[in-house]
Amino acid sequence: MSTLDFEIIRNENSVSAEDRAGILADPGWGQYFTDHMITIRYHKDKGWHDAKLEPYGPITLDPAAQVLHYAQELFEGLKAYRQVDGSIVMFRPYANAARMNASAQRMAMPEIPEELFVKALEVLVSTDRDWVPTTEGHSLYLRPFMIATTRQLGVNQPADEYLFTIIASPCGNYYARGIKPVTVWLSQDFTRAAPGGTGAAKTGGNYAASFAGQAQAVANGCDQVVWLDAVEHRWVEEVGSMNLMFVYGSGSQARILTPALTGTLLPGITRDSMLTLAPDLGIQAEEGKINIDEWQHGCESGELTEVFGCGTAAIISPVGAVKGTDRAWTIGDGEPGPVSMRLREELIGIQFGHRPDPYGWVHKVS
Ligand SMILES: *Cc1c(COP(=O)(O)O)cnc(C)c1O
């Protein structure tokens, strides 16, 4: 089996065209949801079954469902875009399918056939296509997730039953008021992920464990937290829920470096796209290691010119300044840099169809 047929249950109380237009005029981020959702069940004896498109609404769970106690869950995030020619595309959905299955292996959860994952996204996006914004820079954020539903308080085994769901949320331009660099906090008290842990899996527990560090960043006047390695607390891993890119030099000498995937970092699809795009723009790209002293000294010497976070939500988020308990410095002049902006333009250009897609990244939804 690679796909299933979906039972289609239409929402009889869909949002009116007028109300939808009002929402799409200012969708914000993750506050509004479309009329439908996908649900697919899994049982260890039956495999994947009972695929449905149904009205968006609450999920009923047994209070002893394994996810509620032991956080056996995972999620994904990608976007559907309306291109300049009016067609609707998703960006690299097969990459999300593969990553979801990698997360599933780590969380002892069932893998979902890639074709079924992508078909489920297509059924939802094509049904709710009127929710894909037409405003330049806006998109429809897609959130697939899987939870363990078995009623079981025993802690010694993964669940037998799971629910896979996809919901969709229209979202505005992350930087509606212009691109503003973030100030980041070097967290030395908290770590996001340890070797052998779940840092490379997109699972909710990693986020639950990150809120205290994020709150500390805010308490110190910063926007986001920089996660350092769990052993020496000095090797840079990620920022907030984004991967990090360091730009050295400028003009034709510019090159980018991103921390290598050591198992404690989340393998971002935006990160991977940047590593692929940059060399084709004449920007050398490498995966490596950078510690906080090298980061600080590189900025002070002028060798390190720009730093940005990257992920599906913001695409790129320039970092303007860094703070820690015993140090603080700015990056370049604290403004978004030309290499960051160039990479952003190229990627957004492919997503919205302003530029050709030589990589086969955009996936048309019919
Ligand atoms: C999802 C995520 C990213 C970015 O991944 P993209 O596929 O580029 O959106 C980076 N870090 C963490 C911790 C994440 O959860």
Side-chain angles (χ1 to χ4, degrees):
M1 181 216 66
S2 68
T3 69
L4 296 170
D5 287 327
F6 284 77
E7 183 188 346
I8 305 291
I9 308 162
R10 290 266 168 186
N11 189 340
E12 302 298 334
N13 295 303
S14 287
V15 173
S16 71
E18 195 190 343
D19 288 349
R20 189 175 59 235
I23 290 169
L24 293 181
D26 184 18
W29 232 96
Q31 300 164 46
Y32 300 104
F33 296 90
T34 65
D35 297 313
H36 297 91
M37 64 182 189
I38 295 287
T39 58
I40 313 178
R41 304 264 164 188
Y42 178 92
H43 187 283
K44 109 173 150 19
D45 300 331
K46 280 207 254 182
W48 291 103
H49 63 281
D50 210 8
K52 285 182 188 155
L53 172 95
E54 58 184 291
Y56 179 94
I59 296 169
T60 303
L61 286 177
D62 192 288
Q66 184 135 329
V67 63
L68 299 175
H69 304 272
Y70 309 125
Q72 200 189 4
E73 81 94 49
L74 53 78
F75 69 99
E76 269 303 325
L78 71 160
K79 284 175 172 174
Y81 299 88
R82 197 177 291 271
Q83 294 206 316
V84 280
D85 68 358
S87 58
I88 294 173
V89 303
M90 296 189 285
F91 187 70
R92 304 190 68 181
Y94 284 95
N96 292 92
R99 185 172 66 189
M100 178 142 179
N101 285 336
S103 297
Q105 284 184 9
R106 178 63 184 86
M107 303 307 292
M109 295 170 78
E111 292 183 40
I112 185 161
E114 290 188 4
E115 293 299 334
L116 177 57
F117 177 90
V118 174
K119 182 175 171 188
L121 287 164
E122 284 173 343
V123 170
L124 181 60
V125 173
S126 60
T127 307
D128 284 339
R129 59 190 305 119
D130 291 343
W131 284 92
V132 182
T134 51
T135 308
E136 177 74 36
H138 293 200
S139 53
L140 184 66
Y141 182 78
L142 304 168
R143 167 55 62 86
F145 62 101
M146 196 202 306
I147 57 175
T149 53
T150 302
R151 163 173 142 160
Q152 157 179 295
L153 289 186
V155 288
N156 294 329
Q157 60 191 33
D160 292 339
E161 291 154 289
Y162 296 86
L163 172 65
F164 172 77
T165 305
I166 309 175
I167 53 176
S169 173
C171 57
N173 192 333
Y174 214 79
Y175 290 106
R177 277 167 246 96
I179 295 189
K180 198 178 154 287
V182 293
T183 298
V184 297
W185 173 253
L186 300 174
S187 178
Q188 296 194 290
D189 300 338
F190 300 110
T191 45
R192 193 190 82 89
T198 57
K202 217 164 168 70
T203 184
N206 291 340
Y207 279 70
S210 77
F211 295 139
Q214 174 62 26
Q216 197 184 53
V218 171
N220 283 281
C222 295
D223 304 297
Q224 303 240 345
V225 54
V226 169
W227 301 109
L228 302 174
D229 77 288
V231 180
E232 296 180 54
H233 298 289
R234 61 192 194 103
W235 298 99
V236 180
E237 299 202 327
E238 298 199 59
V239 60
S241 53
M242 289 183 283
N243 294 113
L244 268 168
M245 294 274 168
F246 295 84
V247 182
Y248 292 87
S250 59
S252 62
Q253 300 303 310
R255 62 186 176 90
I256 59 173
L257 175 136
T258 190
L261 301 176
T262 53
T264 50
L265 281 76
L266 197 287
I269 292 163
T270 316
R271 172 189 181 280
D272 182 75
S273 304
M274 294 290 174
L275 288 175
T276 306
L277 264 181
D280 290 347
L281 304 175
I283 302 163
Q284 259 189 59
E286 60 173 315
E287 301 177 73
K289 271 180 101 168
I290 176 169
N291 65 42
I292 50 178
D293 296 323
E294 291 165 344
W295 184 356
Q296 180 172 8
H297 298 151
C299 290
E300 286 167 357
S301 74
E303 190 201 351
L304 217 176
T305 47
E306 305 172 34
V307 177
F308 60 95
C310 64
T312 296
I315 309 299
I316 75 133
S317 182
V319 178
V322 188
K323 273 199 219 174
T325 42
D326 57 350
R327 53 176 100 204
W329 70 94
T330 52
I331 297 158
D333 57 5
E335 293 301 318
V339 175
S340 315
M341 290 297 105
R342 174 91 200 279
L343 286 164
R344 177 178 183 274
E345 281 304 310
E346 289 291 331
L347 190 55
I348 289 178
I350 292 172
Q351 290 165 335
F352 285 96
H354 296 292
R355 285 182 176 43
D357 169 26
Y359 312 106
W361 285 341
V362 297
H363 177 94
K364 234 185 185 108
V365 178
S366 51

